[in-house]
Amino acid sequence: MSAFPSTLTTPVSPSMACVHVVACAEEDACALAANLLHALGTGDCFDFRPSAAMQLDARTLGATDALLLLAPPLSASNTQGQHAQDALMQLRADLVSQRQPFQVLFSQGTRLLDDALTALCNWFPQAPALQARRSALREHGNLTRWSWSCEKCSDPECEFRLFKGLTSSENP
């Protein structure tokens, strides 16, 4: 069990953004939440709520809550932690059916923290704690909300989103 402070005993400001950090193992969620809090250097912008997938009820989420879901490593055994992985898949299905936005993080190590911070930049573009990171992402051209995997797409709507995203990313 991690030493991350419980949000049940910590008073939460109404202006704080609620970010649920969910993983198969609660220890992994607590570790990422603590790393995010340390990286942002402030506790007055975000209310990080780590939990295991089996413990989170998607019906209790607020419409503006952000969810970071940690995917289990690919090297994980199929039999080890299968119930937790099934709970994570069920949670994803519940979130989709409720139209609750979430971000699945597939990376590990320091890349996991980078991906989580980038997701927060996209969700909360005006958050003061993220402005330095947002500036760095803008400078390096990595601040995008949409990712295309094809280069020969002939869908006009897809192309419109691509070019609209390129023009808006110059002045976010």
Short mmCIF file of all heavy atoms in Angstrom, two decimals, residues 7-31:
data_model
loop_
_atom_site.label_atom_id
_atom_site.label_comp_id
_atom_site.label_asym_id
_atom_site.label_seq_id
_atom_site.Cartn_x
_atom_site.Cartn_y
_atom_site.Cartn_z
N THR A 7 -7.84 11.13 -0.59
CA THR A 7 -8.63 12.30 -0.93
C THR A 7 -9.86 12.39 -0.06
O THR A 7 -10.52 13.41 -0.04
CB THR A 7 -9.04 12.25 -2.41
OG1 THR A 7 -9.74 11.03 -2.63
CG2 THR A 7 -7.85 12.35 -3.32
N LEU A 8 -10.19 11.33 0.67
CA LEU A 8 -11.34 11.38 1.55
C LEU A 8 -11.08 12.26 2.76
O LEU A 8 -11.99 12.85 3.32
CB LEU A 8 -11.73 9.97 1.99
CG LEU A 8 -12.15 9.01 0.88
CD1 LEU A 8 -12.39 7.63 1.46
CD2 LEU A 8 -13.39 9.52 0.18
N THR A 9 -9.83 12.37 3.17
CA THR A 9 -9.49 13.18 4.33
C THR A 9 -8.90 14.52 3.95
O THR A 9 -8.73 15.37 4.80
CB THR A 9 -8.49 12.42 5.22
OG1 THR A 9 -7.31 12.17 4.46
CG2 THR A 9 -9.07 11.14 5.74
N THR A 10 -8.58 14.72 2.69
CA THR A 10 -7.99 15.97 2.24
C THR A 10 -9.08 16.87 1.68
O THR A 10 -9.78 16.48 0.77
CB THR A 10 -6.94 15.70 1.12
OG1 THR A 10 -6.00 14.75 1.61
CG2 THR A 10 -6.25 16.95 0.70
N PRO A 11 -9.24 18.10 2.21
CA PRO A 11 -10.25 18.99 1.66
C PRO A 11 -9.89 19.37 0.23
O PRO A 11 -8.73 19.58 -0.09
CB PRO A 11 -10.21 20.21 2.58
CG PRO A 11 -8.96 20.11 3.35
CD PRO A 11 -8.50 18.70 3.32
N VAL A 12 -10.89 19.43 -0.63
CA VAL A 12 -10.68 19.69 -2.05
C VAL A 12 -11.32 21.02 -2.41
O VAL A 12 -12.49 21.24 -2.12
CB VAL A 12 -11.28 18.56 -2.91
CG1 VAL A 12 -11.12 18.87 -4.37
CG2 VAL A 12 -10.63 17.23 -2.57
N SER A 13 -10.54 21.90 -3.02
CA SER A 13 -11.06 23.17 -3.48
C SER A 13 -11.97 22.95 -4.68
O SER A 13 -11.69 22.10 -5.53
CB SER A 13 -9.88 24.06 -3.89
OG SER A 13 -10.32 25.14 -4.65
N PRO A 14 -13.06 23.71 -4.79
CA PRO A 14 -13.95 23.53 -5.93
C PRO A 14 -13.29 23.86 -7.26
O PRO A 14 -13.74 23.40 -8.29
CB PRO A 14 -15.10 24.51 -5.66
CG PRO A 14 -14.86 25.13 -4.35
CD PRO A 14 -13.53 24.70 -3.85
N SER A 15 -12.20 24.63 -7.24
CA SER A 15 -11.53 24.98 -8.49
C SER A 15 -10.50 23.93 -8.92
O SER A 15 -9.92 24.05 -9.99
CB SER A 15 -10.84 26.33 -8.34
OG SER A 15 -9.84 26.26 -7.35
N MET A 16 -10.28 22.92 -8.11
CA MET A 16 -9.30 21.89 -8.44
C MET A 16 -9.88 20.92 -9.46
O MET A 16 -11.04 20.54 -9.39
CB MET A 16 -8.88 21.12 -7.19
CG MET A 16 -8.06 21.94 -6.22
SD MET A 16 -7.59 21.02 -4.77
CE MET A 16 -6.30 19.99 -5.43
N ALA A 17 -9.05 20.53 -10.40
CA ALA A 17 -9.46 19.55 -11.39
C ALA A 17 -9.28 18.16 -10.81
O ALA A 17 -8.24 17.84 -10.24
CB ALA A 17 -8.61 19.70 -12.65
N CYS A 18 -10.29 17.34 -10.95
CA CYS A 18 -10.25 15.97 -10.42
C CYS A 18 -9.68 15.04 -11.48
O CYS A 18 -10.22 14.94 -12.58
CB CYS A 18 -11.66 15.54 -10.02
SG CYS A 18 -11.68 13.89 -9.32
N VAL A 19 -8.58 14.38 -11.15
CA VAL A 19 -7.91 13.46 -12.08
C VAL A 19 -7.84 12.09 -11.41
O VAL A 19 -7.16 11.91 -10.41
CB VAL A 19 -6.49 13.94 -12.44
CG1 VAL A 19 -5.82 12.95 -13.40
CG2 VAL A 19 -6.53 15.34 -13.05
N HIS A 20 -8.56 11.13 -11.97
CA HIS A 20 -8.53 9.76 -11.49
C HIS A 20 -7.39 9.03 -12.20
O HIS A 20 -7.30 9.05 -13.42
CB HIS A 20 -9.85 9.04 -11.77
CG HIS A 20 -11.00 9.64 -11.05
ND1 HIS A 20 -11.39 9.22 -9.79
CD2 HIS A 20 -11.86 10.63 -11.39
CE1 HIS A 20 -12.43 9.92 -9.40
NE2 HIS A 20 -12.72 10.80 -10.35
N VAL A 21 -6.51 8.43 -11.43
CA VAL A 21 -5.41 7.63 -11.96
C VAL A 21 -5.75 6.19 -11.61
O VAL A 21 -5.77 5.82 -10.44
CB VAL A 21 -4.06 8.06 -11.36
CG1 VAL A 21 -2.93 7.25 -11.96
CG2 VAL A 21 -3.82 9.55 -11.56
N VAL A 22 -6.02 5.39 -12.64
CA VAL A 22 -6.54 4.04 -12.42
C VAL A 22 -5.61 3.02 -13.08
O VAL A 22 -5.19 3.18 -14.22
CB VAL A 22 -7.96 3.90 -13.03
CG1 VAL A 22 -8.54 2.53 -12.74
CG2 VAL A 22 -8.87 5.00 -12.49
N ALA A 23 -5.30 1.96 -12.32
CA ALA A 23 -4.45 0.88 -12.83
C ALA A 23 -4.98 -0.45 -12.33
O ALA A 23 -5.87 -0.50 -11.48
CB ALA A 23 -3.01 1.08 -12.35
N CYS A 24 -4.45 -1.53 -12.86
CA CYS A 24 -4.83 -2.87 -12.37
C CYS A 24 -4.44 -3.00 -10.90
O CYS A 24 -5.20 -3.53 -10.10
CB CYS A 24 -4.16 -3.94 -13.20
SG CYS A 24 -4.82 -4.08 -14.87
N ALA A 25 -3.26 -2.52 -10.55
CA ALA A 25 -2.78 -2.56 -9.17
C ALA A 25 -2.79 -1.14 -8.61
O ALA A 25 -2.26 -0.22 -9.22
CB ALA A 25 -1.37 -3.13 -9.12
N GLU A 26 -3.38 -0.98 -7.44
CA GLU A 26 -3.49 0.35 -6.83
C GLU A 26 -2.12 0.97 -6.59
O GLU A 26 -1.96 2.19 -6.68
CB GLU A 26 -4.27 0.26 -5.52
CG GLU A 26 -4.55 1.62 -4.91
CD GLU A 26 -5.45 1.56 -3.70
OE1 GLU A 26 -5.72 0.47 -3.18
OE2 GLU A 26 -5.88 2.64 -3.26
N GLU A 27 -1.10 0.15 -6.31
CA GLU A 27 0.24 0.68 -6.07
C GLU A 27 0.76 1.42 -7.30
O GLU A 27 1.43 2.45 -7.18
CB GLU A 27 1.22 -0.45 -5.71
CG GLU A 27 0.89 -1.14 -4.40
CD GLU A 27 -0.18 -2.22 -4.55
OE1 GLU A 27 -0.38 -2.76 -5.66
OE2 GLU A 27 -0.84 -2.50 -3.54
N ASP A 28 0.46 0.90 -8.50
CA ASP A 28 0.90 1.56 -9.73
C ASP A 28 0.20 2.91 -9.90
O ASP A 28 0.82 3.90 -10.30
CB ASP A 28 0.62 0.67 -10.95
CG ASP A 28 1.42 -0.61 -10.95
OD1 ASP A 28 2.47 -0.66 -10.26
OD2 ASP A 28 1.00 -1.58 -11.62
N ALA A 29 -1.09 2.96 -9.59
CA ALA A 29 -1.84 4.21 -9.68
C ALA A 29 -1.32 5.23 -8.66
O ALA A 29 -1.16 6.41 -8.98
CB ALA A 29 -3.33 3.95 -9.46
N CYS A 30 -1.03 4.77 -7.45
CA CYS A 30 -0.49 5.67 -6.41
C CYS A 30 0.87 6.21 -6.81
O CYS A 30 1.16 7.39 -6.59
CB CYS A 30 -0.39 4.93 -5.08
SG CYS A 30 -1.98 4.62 -4.31
N ALA A 31 1.70 5.37 -7.40
CA ALA A 31 3.04 5.81 -7.82
C ALA A 31 2.95 6.88 -8.89
O ALA A 31 3.65 7.90 -8.82
CB ALA A 31 3.85 4.62 -8.31
#
